Amino acid sequence: LSSGDKVAVLKVEDVILDDQTYLDSITAIKNDSQIKAVVLRIESPGGAVGPSQELYSELKQLRDCLLYTSD
């Protein structure tokens, strides 16, 4: 990482019933070209299948975005 690069920390906490806050954070991370890495902290017992699956899918896309756009 160079001096201008950033590492984002994404915290997933509590029961996952609504994924919109997390999805908004993932979108913001994707749109910030200075973010080169993400630390994912999960403190959750799980949650609803739909939001959990959507969050998982978006995290995989974020991983691919960061892997294939890094310099």
CSV table of all heavy atoms in Angstrom, one decimal:
chain,number,residue,atom,x,y,z
A,1,LEU,N,0.8,-1.2,0.0
A,1,LEU,CA,0.0,0.0,0.0
A,1,LEU,C,0.9,1.2,0.0
A,1,LEU,O,1.8,1.3,0.7
A,1,LEU,CB,-0.9,0.0,1.2
A,1,LEU,CG,-1.9,-1.1,1.4
A,1,LEU,CD1,-2.6,-1.0,2.7
A,1,LEU,CD2,-2.9,-1.1,0.3
A,2,SER,N,0.5,2.2,-0.8
A,2,SER,CA,1.3,3.5,-0.8
A,2,SER,C,0.6,4.4,0.2
A,2,SER,O,-0.4,4.1,0.8
A,2,SER,CB,1.2,4.1,-2.2
A,2,SER,OG,-0.1,4.5,-2.5
A,3,SER,N,1.3,5.5,0.4
A,3,SER,CA,0.8,6.5,1.4
A,3,SER,C,-0.6,7.0,1.2
A,3,SER,O,-1.3,7.4,2.2
A,3,SER,CB,1.8,7.6,1.6
A,3,SER,OG,1.8,8.4,0.4
A,4,GLY,N,-1.1,7.0,0.0
A,4,GLY,CA,-2.4,7.5,-0.3
A,4,GLY,C,-3.5,6.5,-0.2
A,4,GLY,O,-4.7,6.8,-0.3
A,5,ASP,N,-3.1,5.2,-0.1
A,5,ASP,CA,-4.0,4.1,-0.1
A,5,ASP,C,-4.7,3.9,1.3
A,5,ASP,O,-4.1,4.3,2.3
A,5,ASP,CB,-3.4,2.8,-0.5
A,5,ASP,CG,-2.9,2.8,-2.0
A,5,ASP,OD1,-3.4,3.6,-2.7
A,5,ASP,OD2,-2.0,2.0,-2.3
A,6,LYS,N,-5.9,3.4,1.3
A,6,LYS,CA,-6.7,3.2,2.5
A,6,LYS,C,-7.1,1.8,2.7
A,6,LYS,O,-7.3,1.1,1.7
A,6,LYS,CB,-7.9,4.1,2.5
A,6,LYS,CG,-7.6,5.6,2.5
A,6,LYS,CD,-8.8,6.5,2.7
A,6,LYS,CE,-9.5,6.8,1.5
A,6,LYS,NZ,-10.7,7.7,1.7
A,7,VAL,N,-7.4,1.4,3.9
A,7,VAL,CA,-8.0,0.1,4.2
A,7,VAL,C,-9.3,0.4,4.9
A,7,VAL,O,-9.4,1.2,5.9
A,7,VAL,CB,-7.1,-0.7,5.2
A,7,VAL,CG1,-7.8,-2.0,5.6
A,7,VAL,CG2,-5.7,-1.0,4.5
A,8,ALA,N,-10.4,-0.2,4.4
A,8,ALA,CA,-11.7,0.0,5.0
A,8,ALA,C,-12.0,-1.1,6.0
A,8,ALA,O,-11.5,-2.2,5.8
A,8,ALA,CB,-12.8,0.0,3.9
A,9,VAL,N,-12.7,-0.8,7.0
A,9,VAL,CA,-13.2,-1.7,8.0
A,9,VAL,C,-14.7,-1.8,7.9
A,9,VAL,O,-15.4,-0.8,8.1
A,9,VAL,CB,-12.7,-1.4,9.4
A,9,VAL,CG1,-13.3,-2.4,10.4
A,9,VAL,CG2,-11.2,-1.3,9.5
A,10,LEU,N,-15.2,-3.0,7.6
A,10,LEU,CA,-16.6,-3.2,7.5
A,10,LEU,C,-17.1,-4.1,8.6
A,10,LEU,O,-16.6,-5.2,8.7
A,10,LEU,CB,-17.0,-3.8,6.1
A,10,LEU,CG,-18.5,-4.1,5.9
A,10,LEU,CD1,-19.3,-2.8,5.9
A,10,LEU,CD2,-18.7,-4.7,4.5
A,11,LYS,N,-17.9,-3.6,9.5
A,11,LYS,CA,-18.4,-4.4,10.6
A,11,LYS,C,-19.8,-4.9,10.4
A,11,LYS,O,-20.7,-4.0,10.2
A,11,LYS,CB,-18.3,-3.5,11.9
A,11,LYS,CG,-17.0,-3.1,12.3
A,11,LYS,CD,-17.0,-2.3,13.6
A,11,LYS,CE,-15.7,-1.8,14.0
A,11,LYS,NZ,-15.7,-0.9,15.2
A,12,VAL,N,-20.0,-6.2,10.5
A,12,VAL,CA,-21.3,-6.7,10.4
A,12,VAL,C,-21.7,-7.2,11.8
A,12,VAL,O,-21.0,-8.1,12.3
A,12,VAL,CB,-21.4,-7.9,9.4
A,12,VAL,CG1,-22.7,-8.6,9.4
A,12,VAL,CG2,-20.9,-7.5,8.0
A,13,GLU,N,-22.7,-6.6,12.4
A,13,GLU,CA,-23.0,-6.8,13.8
A,13,GLU,C,-24.5,-7.2,13.9
A,13,GLU,O,-25.3,-6.8,13.1
A,13,GLU,CB,-22.7,-5.6,14.6
A,13,GLU,CG,-21.2,-5.2,14.6
A,13,GLU,CD,-20.9,-3.9,15.4
A,13,GLU,OE1,-21.8,-3.0,15.3
A,13,GLU,OE2,-19.9,-3.8,16.0
A,14,ASP,N,-24.7,-7.9,15.0
A,14,ASP,CA,-26.1,-8.3,15.4
A,14,ASP,C,-26.7,-9.3,14.3
A,14,ASP,O,-26.1,-9.7,13.4
A,14,ASP,CB,-27.0,-7.1,15.6
A,14,ASP,CG,-26.4,-6.2,16.7
A,14,ASP,OD1,-25.9,-6.8,17.7
A,14,ASP,OD2,-26.5,-5.0,16.6
A,15,VAL,N,-28.0,-9.5,14.4
A,15,VAL,CA,-28.7,-10.4,13.5
A,15,VAL,C,-28.9,-9.7,12.2
A,15,VAL,O,-29.3,-8.5,12.2
A,15,VAL,CB,-30.1,-10.8,14.1
A,15,VAL,CG1,-30.9,-11.6,13.2
A,15,VAL,CG2,-29.9,-11.5,15.5
A,16,ILE,N,-28.6,-10.3,11.1
A,16,ILE,CA,-28.7,-9.7,9.8
A,16,ILE,C,-30.2,-9.9,9.3
A,16,ILE,O,-30.6,-10.9,8.8
A,16,ILE,CB,-27.8,-10.4,8.8
A,16,ILE,CG1,-26.3,-10.3,9.3
A,16,ILE,CG2,-27.9,-9.8,7.4
A,16,ILE,CD1,-25.3,-11.1,8.5
A,17,LEU,N,-30.9,-8.8,9.5
A,17,LEU,CA,-32.3,-8.8,9.0
A,17,LEU,C,-32.5,-7.8,7.9
A,17,LEU,O,-33.4,-8.0,7.0
A,17,LEU,CB,-33.3,-8.4,10.1
A,17,LEU,CG,-33.3,-9.4,11.3
A,17,LEU,CD1,-34.2,-8.9,12.4
A,17,LEU,CD2,-33.8,-10.8,10.8
A,18,ASP,N,-31.7,-6.7,7.9
A,18,ASP,CA,-31.8,-5.7,6.9
A,18,ASP,C,-30.4,-5.5,6.4
A,18,ASP,O,-29.5,-5.1,7.2
A,18,ASP,CB,-32.4,-4.4,7.4
A,18,ASP,CG,-32.4,-3.3,6.4
A,18,ASP,OD1,-32.4,-3.6,5.2
A,18,ASP,OD2,-32.5,-2.1,6.8
A,19,ASP,N,-30.1,-5.7,5.1
A,19,ASP,CA,-28.8,-5.6,4.6
A,19,ASP,C,-28.5,-4.2,3.9
A,19,ASP,O,-27.3,-4.0,3.5
A,19,ASP,CB,-28.5,-6.7,3.6
A,19,ASP,CG,-29.5,-6.7,2.4
A,19,ASP,OD1,-30.4,-5.8,2.4
A,19,ASP,OD2,-29.4,-7.5,1.5
A,20,GLN,N,-29.4,-3.3,3.9
A,20,GLN,CA,-29.2,-2.1,3.1
A,20,GLN,C,-28.0,-1.2,3.6
A,20,GLN,O,-27.3,-0.7,2.8
A,20,GLN,CB,-30.5,-1.2,3.1
A,20,GLN,CG,-30.4,-0.1,2.0
A,20,GLN,CD,-30.2,-0.7,0.6
A,20,GLN,OE1,-30.9,-1.6,0.2
A,20,GLN,NE2,-29.2,-0.2,-0.1
A,21,THR,N,-27.9,-1.1,4.9
A,21,THR,CA,-26.8,-0.3,5.4
A,21,THR,C,-25.4,-0.9,5.0
A,21,THR,O,-24.5,-0.2,4.6
A,21,THR,CB,-26.8,-0.3,7.0
A,21,THR,OG1,-28.1,0.3,7.4
A,21,THR,CG2,-25.7,0.5,7.6
A,22,TYR,N,-25.3,-2.3,5.1
A,22,TYR,CA,-24.1,-2.9,4.6
A,22,TYR,C,-23.9,-2.8,3.1
A,22,TYR,O,-22.8,-2.5,2.7
A,22,TYR,CB,-24.1,-4.4,5.0
A,22,TYR,CG,-24.3,-4.6,6.5
A,22,TYR,CD1,-25.4,-5.3,7.0
A,22,TYR,CD2,-23.4,-4.1,7.4
A,22,TYR,CE1,-25.6,-5.5,8.3
A,22,TYR,CE2,-23.6,-4.3,8.8
A,22,TYR,CZ,-24.7,-5.0,9.2
A,22,TYR,OH,-24.8,-5.2,10.6
A,23,LEU,N,-24.9,-2.9,2.4
A,23,LEU,CA,-24.8,-2.7,0.9
A,23,LEU,C,-24.4,-1.3,0.5
A,23,LEU,O,-23.6,-1.1,-0.4
A,23,LEU,CB,-26.1,-3.1,0.2
A,23,LEU,CG,-26.6,-4.5,0.4
A,23,LEU,CD1,-27.9,-4.8,-0.3
A,23,LEU,CD2,-25.6,-5.5,-0.1
A,24,ASP,N,-24.9,-0.3,1.2
A,24,ASP,CA,-24.5,1.1,1.0
A,24,ASP,C,-23.0,1.3,1.3
A,24,ASP,O,-22.3,1.9,0.6
A,24,ASP,CB,-25.3,2.0,1.9
A,24,ASP,CG,-26.8,2.1,1.4
A,24,ASP,OD1,-27.1,1.6,0.3
A,24,ASP,OD2,-27.6,2.6,2.2
A,25,SER,N,-22.6,0.6,2.4
A,25,SER,CA,-21.1,0.7,2.8
A,25,SER,C,-20.3,0.1,1.7
A,25,SER,O,-19.2,0.6,1.3
A,25,SER,CB,-20.9,0.1,4.1
A,25,SER,OG,-21.6,0.8,5.1
A,26,ILE,N,-20.7,-1.1,1.2
A,26,ILE,CA,-19.9,-1.8,0.2
A,26,ILE,C,-19.9,-1.0,-1.1
A,26,ILE,O,-18.8,-0.8,-1.7
A,26,ILE,CB,-20.5,-3.2,-0.1
A,26,ILE,CG1,-20.3,-4.1,1.1
A,26,ILE,CG2,-19.9,-3.8,-1.3
A,26,ILE,CD1,-21.1,-5.4,1.1
A,27,THR,N,-20.9,-0.3,-1.5
A,27,THR,CA,-21.0,0.6,-2.6
A,27,THR,C,-20.0,1.7,-2.5
A,27,THR,O,-19.2,2.1,-3.4
A,27,THR,CB,-22.4,1.1,-2.9
A,27,THR,OG1,-23.2,0.0,-3.2
A,27,THR,CG2,-22.4,2.0,-4.1
A,28,ALA,N,-20.0,2.3,-1.3
A,28,ALA,CA,-19.1,3.4,-1.0
A,28,ALA,C,-17.6,3.0,-1.1
A,28,ALA,O,-16.8,3.7,-1.6
A,28,ALA,CB,-19.4,4.0,0.4
A,29,ILE,N,-17.3,1.7,-0.6
A,29,ILE,CA,-16.0,1.2,-0.7
A,29,ILE,C,-15.6,1.0,-2.2
A,29,ILE,O,-14.5,1.3,-2.6
A,29,ILE,CB,-15.9,-0.1,0.1
A,29,ILE,CG1,-16.0,0.2,1.6
A,29,ILE,CG2,-14.6,-0.8,-0.2
A,29,ILE,CD1,-16.2,-1.1,2.5
A,30,LYS,N,-16.5,0.4,-2.9
A,30,LYS,CA,-16.2,0.2,-4.4
A,30,LYS,C,-15.9,1.5,-5.1
A,30,LYS,O,-15.1,1.6,-6.0
A,30,LYS,CB,-17.4,-0.5,-5.0
A,30,LYS,CG,-17.6,-1.9,-4.7
A,30,LYS,CD,-18.8,-2.4,-5.5
A,30,LYS,CE,-19.2,-3.8,-5.2
A,30,LYS,NZ,-20.4,-4.3,-5.9
A,31,ASN,N,-16.6,2.6,-4.7
A,31,ASN,CA,-16.5,3.9,-5.4
A,31,ASN,C,-15.3,4.7,-4.9
A,31,ASN,O,-15.0,5.7,-5.6
A,31,ASN,CB,-17.8,4.7,-5.2
A,31,ASN,CG,-18.9,4.1,-5.9
A,31,ASN,OD1,-18.8,3.4,-6.9
A,31,ASN,ND2,-20.1,4.3,-5.5
A,32,ASP,N,-14.6,4.3,-3.9
A,32,ASP,CA,-13.4,5.0,-3.4
A,32,ASP,C,-12.2,4.4,-4.0
A,32,ASP,O,-11.8,3.3,-3.5
A,32,ASP,CB,-13.4,5.0,-1.9
A,32,ASP,CG,-12.4,5.9,-1.3
A,32,ASP,OD1,-11.4,6.2,-2.0
A,32,ASP,OD2,-12.5,6.3,-0.1
A,33,SER,N,-11.6,5.0,-4.9
A,33,SER,CA,-10.4,4.4,-5.6
A,33,SER,C,-9.2,4.3,-4.7
A,33,SER,O,-8.2,3.6,-5.0
A,33,SER,CB,-10.1,5.2,-6.9
A,33,SER,OG,-9.7,6.5,-6.5
A,34,GLN,N,-9.2,5.0,-3.6
A,34,GLN,CA,-8.0,4.9,-2.7
A,34,GLN,C,-8.1,3.7,-1.7
A,34,GLN,O,-7.1,3.4,-1.2
A,34,GLN,CB,-8.0,6.2,-1.8
A,34,GLN,CG,-7.6,7.4,-2.6
A,34,GLN,CD,-7.4,8.6,-1.7
A,34,GLN,OE1,-8.2,8.9,-0.8
A,34,GLN,NE2,-6.3,9.3,-1.8
A,35,ILE,N,-9.2,3.1,-1.6
A,35,ILE,CA,-9.4,1.9,-0.8
A,35,ILE,C,-8.8,0.7,-1.6
A,35,ILE,O,-9.3,0.4,-2.6
A,35,ILE,CB,-10.8,1.6,-0.4
A,35,ILE,CG1,-11.3,2.8,0.6
A,35,ILE,CG2,-10.9,0.3,0.4
A,35,ILE,CD1,-12.7,2.7,1.0
A,36,LYS,N,-7.8,0.1,-1.0
A,36,LYS,CA,-7.1,-1.0,-1.7
A,36,LYS,C,-7.3,-2.4,-0.9
A,36,LYS,O,-7.0,-3.4,-1.4
A,36,LYS,CB,-5.6,-0.8,-1.8
A,36,LYS,CG,-5.3,0.5,-2.5
A,36,LYS,CD,-5.8,0.4,-4.0
A,36,LYS,CE,-5.4,1.7,-4.7
A,36,LYS,NZ,-6.0,1.8,-6.0
A,37,ALA,N,-7.9,-2.3,0.3
A,37,ALA,CA,-8.1,-3.5,1.1
A,37,ALA,C,-9.3,-3.3,2.0
A,37,ALA,O,-9.6,-2.2,2.3
A,37,ALA,CB,-6.9,-3.9,1.9
A,38,VAL,N,-9.9,-4.4,2.5
A,38,VAL,CA,-11.0,-4.3,3.4
A,38,VAL,C,-10.8,-5.4,4.5
A,38,VAL,O,-10.5,-6.5,4.2
A,38,VAL,CB,-12.4,-4.6,2.7
A,38,VAL,CG1,-13.5,-4.7,3.6
A,38,VAL,CG2,-12.6,-3.6,1.6
A,39,VAL,N,-11.0,-4.9,5.7
A,39,VAL,CA,-11.1,-5.8,6.9
A,39,VAL,C,-12.5,-6.0,7.2
A,39,VAL,O,-13.3,-5.1,7.4
A,39,VAL,CB,-10.3,-5.2,8.1
A,39,VAL,CG1,-10.5,-6.1,9.3
A,39,VAL,CG2,-8.9,-5.0,7.8
A,40,LEU,N,-13.0,-7.3,7.2
A,40,LEU,CA,-14.4,-7.6,7.4
A,40,LEU,C,-14.4,-8.2,8.8
A,40,LEU,O,-13.8,-9.2,9.1
A,40,LEU,CB,-14.9,-8.6,6.4
A,40,LEU,CG,-16.3,-9.1,6.6
A,40,LEU,CD1,-17.3,-8.0,6.5
A,40,LEU,CD2,-16.6,-10.2,5.5
A,41,ARG,N,-15.2,-7.6,9.7
A,41,ARG,CA,-15.4,-8.0,11.1
A,41,ARG,C,-16.9,-8.5,11.2
A,41,ARG,O,-17.8,-7.6,11.1
A,41,ARG,CB,-15.1,-7.0,12.1
A,41,ARG,CG,-13.6,-6.6,12.1
A,41,ARG,CD,-13.3,-5.7,13.2
A,41,ARG,NE,-11.9,-5.4,13.3
A,41,ARG,CZ,-11.3,-4.6,14.1
A,41,ARG,NH1,-12.1,-3.9,15.0
A,41,ARG,NH2,-10.0,-4.4,14.1
A,42,ILE,N,-17.1,-9.7,11.5
A,42,ILE,CA,-18.4,-10.2,11.7
A,42,ILE,C,-18.6,-10.6,13.1
A,42,ILE,O,-17.9,-11.5,13.7
A,42,ILE,CB,-18.7,-11.4,10.7
A,42,ILE,CG1,-18.5,-11.0,9.3
A,42,ILE,CG2,-20.1,-12.0,11.0
A,42,ILE,CD1,-18.5,-12.1,8.3
A,43,GLU,N,-19.6,-10.0,13.8
A,43,GLU,CA,-20.1,-10.4,15.1
A,43,GLU,C,-21.6,-10.5,15.0
A,43,GLU,O,-22.3,-9.7,15.5
A,43,GLU,CB,-19.7,-9.3,16.1
A,43,GLU,CG,-18.2,-9.2,16.3
A,43,GLU,CD,-17.8,-8.1,17.3
A,43,GLU,OE1,-18.6,-7.9,18.3
A,43,GLU,OE2,-16.7,-7.6,17.2
A,44,SER,N,-22.0,-11.7,14.4
A,44,SER,CA,-23.4,-11.9,14.2
A,44,SER,C,-23.7,-13.4,14.3
A,44,SER,O,-22.9,-14.2,13.9
A,44,SER,CB,-23.7,-11.5,12.7
A,44,SER,OG,-25.0,-11.9,12.4
A,45,PRO,N,-24.8,-13.7,14.9
A,45,PRO,CA,-25.2,-15.1,15.0
A,45,PRO,C,-25.8,-15.6,13.7
A,45,PRO,O,-26.2,-16.8,13.5
A,45,PRO,CB,-26.3,-15.1,16.1
A,45,PRO,CG,-26.9,-13.7,16.0
A,45,PRO,CD,-25.8,-12.8,15.6
A,46,GLY,N,-26.0,-14.7,12.7
A,46,GLY,CA,-26.6,-15.1,11.4
A,46,GLY,C,-27.8,-14.1,11.2
A,46,GLY,O,-27.8,-13.0,11.6
A,47,GLY,N,-28.8,-14.7,10.5
A,47,GLY,CA,-29.9,-13.8,10.2
A,47,GLY,C,-30.8,-14.4,9.1
A,47,GLY,O,-30.7,-15.6,8.9
A,48,ALA,N,-31.6,-13.6,8.5
A,48,ALA,CA,-32.5,-14.0,7.5
A,48,ALA,C,-31.7,-14.4,6.2
A,48,ALA,O,-30.7,-13.9,5.9
A,48,ALA,CB,-33.5,-12.9,7.1
A,49,VAL,N,-32.2,-15.4,5.5
A,49,VAL,CA,-31.5,-16.0,4.4
A,49,VAL,C,-31.3,-15.0,3.3
A,49,VAL,O,-30.2,-14.8,2.8
A,49,VAL,CB,-32.3,-17.2,3.9
A,49,VAL,CG1,-31.6,-17.7,2.6
A,49,VAL,CG2,-32.3,-18.3,4.9
A,50,GLY,N,-32.4,-14.3,2.9
A,50,GLY,CA,-32.3,-13.3,1.8
A,50,GLY,C,-31.2,-12.2,2.0
A,50,GLY,O,-30.3,-12.1,1.2
A,51,PRO,N,-31.3,-11.5,3.1
A,51,PRO,CA,-30.3,-10.4,3.3
A,51,PRO,C,-28.9,-11.0,3.5
A,51,PRO,O,-27.9,-10.4,3.0
A,51,PRO,CB,-30.8,-9.7,4.6
A,51,PRO,CG,-32.2,-10.0,4.7
A,51,PRO,CD,-32.4,-11.3,4.0
A,52,SER,N,-28.8,-12.1,4.1
A,52,SER,CA,-27.5,-12.7,4.3
A,52,SER,C,-26.9,-13.1,3.0
A,52,SER,O,-25.7,-12.9,2.7
A,52,SER,CB,-27.6,-14.0,5.2
A,52,SER,OG,-28.0,-13.6,6.5
A,53,GLN,N,-27.7,-13.7,2.1
A,53,GLN,CA,-27.2,-14.1,0.8
A,53,GLN,C,-26.8,-12.9,-0.1
A,53,GLN,O,-25.8,-12.9,-0.8
A,53,GLN,CB,-28.3,-15.0,0.0
A,53,GLN,CG,-27.8,-15.4,-1.3
A,53,GLN,CD,-26.6,-16.3,-1.3
A,53,GLN,OE1,-26.5,-17.2,-0.4
A,53,GLN,NE2,-25.7,-16.1,-2.2
A,54,GLU,N,-27.6,-11.9,0.0
A,54,GLU,CA,-27.3,-10.6,-0.7
A,54,GLU,C,-26.0,-10.0,-0.3
A,54,GLU,O,-25.2,-9.6,-1.1
A,54,GLU,CB,-28.5,-9.6,-0.6
A,54,GLU,CG,-28.3,-8.4,-1.4
A,54,GLU,CD,-28.3,-8.5,-2.9
A,54,GLU,OE1,-28.9,-9.5,-3.3
A,54,GLU,OE2,-27.8,-7.7,-3.6
A,55,LEU,N,-25.8,-10.0,1.0
A,55,LEU,CA,-24.6,-9.5,1.6
A,55,LEU,C,-23.4,-10.3,1.1
A,55,LEU,O,-22.4,-9.8,0.7
A,55,LEU,CB,-24.7,-9.4,3.1
A,55,LEU,CG,-23.5,-8.9,3.9
A,55,LEU,CD1,-23.1,-7.5,3.5
A,55,LEU,CD2,-23.8,-9.0,5.4
A,56,TYR,N,-23.5,-11.6,1.2
A,56,TYR,CA,-22.5,-12.5,0.7
A,56,TYR,C,-22.1,-12.2,-0.8
A,56,TYR,O,-20.9,-12.1,-1.1
A,56,TYR,CB,-22.9,-14.0,0.9
A,56,TYR,CG,-21.9,-15.0,0.4
A,56,TYR,CD1,-20.7,-15.2,0.9
A,56,TYR,CD2,-22.3,-15.7,-0.8
A,56,TYR,CE1,-19.8,-16.1,0.4
A,56,TYR,CE2,-21.4,-16.6,-1.3
A,56,TYR,CZ,-20.2,-16.8,-0.7
A,56,TYR,OH,-19.3,-17.8,-1.2
A,57,SER,N,-23.1,-12.1,-1.6
A,57,SER,CA,-22.9,-11.9,-3.0
A,57,SER,C,-22.2,-10.5,-3.3
A,57,SER,O,-21.3,-10.5,-4.1
A,57,SER,CB,-24.2,-11.9,-3.8
A,57,SER,OG,-24.8,-13.1,-3.7
A,58,GLU,N,-22.6,-9.5,-2.5
A,58,GLU,CA,-22.0,-8.2,-2.7
A,58,GLU,C,-20.5,-8.2,-2.2
A,58,GLU,O,-19.7,-7.6,-2.8
A,58,GLU,CB,-22.8,-7.1,-2.0
A,58,GLU,CG,-24.1,-6.8,-2.7
A,58,GLU,CD,-23.9,-6.2,-4.1
A,58,GLU,OE1,-23.0,-5.3,-4.2
A,58,GLU,OE2,-24.6,-6.7,-5.0
A,59,LEU,N,-20.3,-9.0,-1.1
A,59,LEU,CA,-18.9,-9.1,-0.6
A,59,LEU,C,-18.0,-9.8,-1.6
A,59,LEU,O,-16.8,-9.4,-1.8
A,59,LEU,CB,-18.9,-9.8,0.7
A,59,LEU,CG,-19.4,-9.0,1.9
A,59,LEU,CD1,-19.6,-9.8,3.1
A,59,LEU,CD2,-18.5,-7.8,2.2
A,60,LYS,N,-18.5,-10.8,-2.3
A,60,LYS,CA,-17.7,-11.5,-3.3
A,60,LYS,C,-17.4,-10.5,-4.5
A,60,LYS,O,-16.3,-10.5,-5.0
A,60,LYS,CB,-18.5,-12.7,-3.8
A,60,LYS,CG,-18.4,-13.9,-2.9
A,60,LYS,CD,-19.0,-15.2,-3.3
A,60,LYS,CE,-19.5,-15.3,-4.7
A,60,LYS,NZ,-20.1,-16.6,-5.1
A,61,GLN,N,-18.4,-9.7,-4.9
A,61,GLN,CA,-18.2,-8.7,-5.9
A,61,GLN,C,-17.2,-7.7,-5.5
A,61,GLN,O,-16.3,-7.3,-6.3
A,61,GLN,CB,-19.5,-8.0,-6.3
A,61,GLN,CG,-20.4,-8.9,-7.1
A,61,GLN,CD,-21.7,-8.2,-7.5
A,61,GLN,OE1,-21.8,-7.0,-7.4
A,61,GLN,NE2,-22.7,-9.0,-7.9
A,62,LEU,N,-17.2,-7.3,-4.3
A,62,LEU,CA,-16.3,-6.3,-3.7
A,62,LEU,C,-14.9,-6.9,-3.8
A,62,LEU,O,-13.9,-6.2,-4.2
A,62,LEU,CB,-16.6,-5.9,-2.3
A,62,LEU,CG,-15.6,-5.0,-1.6
A,62,LEU,CD1,-15.4,-3.7,-2.3
A,62,LEU,CD2,-16.1,-4.8,-0.1
A,63,ARG,N,-14.7,-8.2,-3.4
A,63,ARG,CA,-13.4,-8.8,-3.5
A,63,ARG,C,-12.9,-8.8,-4.9
A,63,ARG,O,-11.7,-8.4,-5.1
A,63,ARG,CB,-13.6,-10.3,-3.0
A,63,ARG,CG,-12.3,-11.1,-3.1
A,63,ARG,CD,-12.5,-12.6,-3.1
A,63,ARG,NE,-13.4,-12.9,-4.3
A,63,ARG,CZ,-14.0,-14.1,-4.4
A,63,ARG,NH1,-13.9,-15.0,-3.4
A,63,ARG,NH2,-14.7,-14.3,-5.4
A,64,ASP,N,-13.7,-9.2,-5.8
A,64,ASP,CA,-13.3,-9.2,-7.2
A,64,ASP,C,-12.9,-7.8,-7.7
A,64,ASP,O,-12.0,-7.6,-8.4
A,64,ASP,CB,-14.4,-9.8,-8.1
A,64,ASP,CG,-14.6,-11.3,-7.8
A,64,ASP,OD1,-13.7,-11.9,-7.2
A,64,ASP,OD2,-15.7,-11.8,-8.2
A,65,CYS,N,-13.7,-6.8,-7.3
A,65,CYS,CA,-13.4,-5.4,-7.7
A,65,CYS,C,-12.1,-5.0,-7.2
A,65,CYS,O,-11.3,-4.4,-7.9
A,65,CYS,CB,-14.5,-4.5,-7.1
A,65,CYS,SG,-14.3,-2.8,-7.5
A,66,LEU,N,-11.8,-5.3,-5.9
A,66,LEU,CA,-10.5,-4.9,-5.3
A,66,LEU,C,-9.3,-5.7,-5.9
A,66,LEU,O,-8.2,-5.1,-6.1
A,66,LEU,CB,-10.5,-5.1,-3.8
A,66,LEU,CG,-11.4,-4.1,-3.0
A,66,LEU,CD1,-11.5,-4.5,-1.6
A,66,LEU,CD2,-11.0,-2.7,-3.2
A,67,LEU,N,-9.5,-6.9,-6.2
A,67,LEU,CA,-8.4,-7.7,-6.8
A,67,LEU,C,-8.1,-7.3,-8.2
A,67,LEU,O,-6.9,-7.3,-8.5
A,67,LEU,CB,-8.9,-9.2,-6.8
A,67,LEU,CG,-8.8,-10.0,-5.5
A,67,LEU,CD1,-9.3,-11.4,-5.7
A,67,LEU,CD2,-7.4,-10.0,-5.0
A,68,TYR,N,-9.1,-7.0,-9.0
A,68,TYR,CA,-8.8,-6.7,-10.4
A,68,TYR,C,-8.6,-5.3,-10.7
A,68,TYR,O,-8.3,-5.0,-11.9
A,68,TYR,CB,-9.9,-7.4,-11.2
A,68,TYR,CG,-10.0,-8.8,-11.1
A,68,TYR,CD1,-11.1,-9.5,-10.5
A,68,TYR,CD2,-8.9,-9.7,-11.4
A,68,TYR,CE1,-11.2,-10.8,-10.3
A,68,TYR,CE2,-9.0,-11.0,-11.2
A,68,TYR,CZ,-10.1,-11.6,-10.7
A,68,TYR,OH,-10.1,-13.0,-10.5
A,69,THR,N,-8.8,-4.4,-9.7
A,69,THR,CA,-8.5,-3.0,-10.0
A,69,THR,C,-7.3,-2.4,-9.3
A,69,THR,O,-7.0,-1.3,-9.4
A,69,THR,CB,-9.7,-2.1,-9.6
A,69,THR,OG1,-10.0,-2.3,-8.3
A,69,THR,CG2,-10.9,-2.5,-10.5
A,70,SER,N,-6.6,-3.3,-8.5
A,70,SER,CA,-5.5,-2.8,-7.8
A,70,SER,C,-4.3,-2.7,-8.8
A,70,SER,O,-4.2,-3.4,-9.7
A,70,SER,CB,-5.1,-3.8,-6.6
A,70,SER,OG,-4.8,-5.0,-7.2
A,71,ASP,N,-3.5,-1.7,-8.5
A,71,ASP,CA,-2.3,-1.4,-9.4
A,71,ASP,C,-1.2,-2.3,-9.1
A,71,ASP,O,-0.8,-2.7,-8.2
A,71,ASP,CB,-1.9,0.1,-9.1
A,71,ASP,CG,-3.0,1.0,-9.5
A,71,ASP,OD1,-3.8,0.7,-10.4
A,71,ASP,OD2,-3.0,2.1,-8.9
